[in-house]
Amino acid sequence: MSAEIPASREVPKKENRFKVWRQTRPFWAGLFTMIGGVPIAYLPYGDMRLGNVTLAMQTTAGAGALIIGVLLITLGLTMWFQPIVRVFAGVATIVLALVSIPVSNFGGLVIGYLFAVIGGGMSAAWAPAPPVEETDEADADAEHDGQASEEAAPALDPETEAMVAAVFPEQREGAQPLTDTTIDAKGGRNSAG
């Protein structure tokens, strides 16, 4: 880029869709949960070869390990595509990870167990970000330069240099002032019981 062409401050919308999708759901929790489900489901059926030695890790509870692994992968996808049930999916993931310790070769040689527990905890703790308010480009430029626009600043009365009352909530006319004691309180205000 040359110095004459200013850089864009915004990412084009086509490239921004995945980022927005990822930020509106517990993406990393679902990914960790699915990664944790793979070794839990695979290791009871797989074998490792170290030179001429074959190490078989098959157990009698292979069907249970396969079910736990498939359920963990399904819960990871649920976290992605149904973020409203993220707490349930997170708790279910943690429970299945704990069950995988005795059923699936110490939870997929502890690798699957750790990924599943971290993913379940992240899912249960995840909360959506508060919505961002859209601003005009001129307001954003003024805030970016460190200057507040006149509309954003509260109006001051030139005679008293006090804020105009329209900025604050309106006070009721003729309302009784509240007192510090419960004896003088009207209508149950300030009373403890």
Side-chain angles (χ1 to χ4, degrees):
M1 294 184 67
S2 69
E4 298 170 1
I5 302 172
S8 174
R9 290 187 184 165
E10 295 182 15
V11 177
K13 294 196 185 255
K14 289 183 181 179
E15 295 175 8
N16 201 17
R17 286 190 301 178
F18 177 70
K19 182 179 179 183
V20 169
W21 180 84
R22 183 176 50 90
Q23 291 175 346
T24 57
R25 59 203 72 243
F27 177 78
W28 294 108
L31 184 65
F32 279 15
T33 301
M34 287 188 282
I35 290 172
V38 171
I40 290 173
Y42 173 74
L43 287 178
Y45 291 102
D47 56 353
M48 292 182 0
R49 297 191 179 158
L50 302 171
N52 291 334
V53 178
T54 301
L55 180 63
M57 292 188 260
Q58 298 168 348
T59 63
T60 57
L66 181 65
I67 290 171
I68 291 171
V70 168
L71 283 174
L72 285 173
I73 293 170
T74 304
L75 285 169
L77 290 171
T78 302
M79 291 173 199
W80 279 2
F81 296 109
Q82 295 294 326
I84 195 80
V85 294
R86 66 188 180 275
V87 175
F88 167 76
V91 171
T93 298
I94 293 171
V95 169
L96 285 173
L98 290 171
V99 170
S100 75
I101 291 175
V103 172
S104 175
N105 294 331
F106 297 112
L109 295 178
V110 184
I111 297 167
Y113 165 75
L114 288 176
F115 272 107
V117 166
I118 291 171
M122 288 172 67
S123 176
W126 185 83
V132 177
E133 294 182 17
E134 295 293 328
T135 59
D136 292 338
E137 194 170 307
D139 291 342
D141 289 340
E143 291 175 7
H144 180 67
D145 294 337
Q147 301 168 351
S149 64
E150 291 179 14
E151 295 138 7
L156 296 176
D157 187 11
E159 296 175 2
T160 61
E161 293 186 12
M163 289 191 186
V164 178
V167 176
F168 298 105
E170 194 174 303
Q171 299 293 324
R172 295 183 195 167
E173 294 292 327
Q176 296 286 334
L178 299 177
T179 61
D180 292 337
T181 62
T182 57
I183 297 171
D184 297 333
K186 304 278 184 174
R189 295 183 201 146
N190 296 340
S191 68

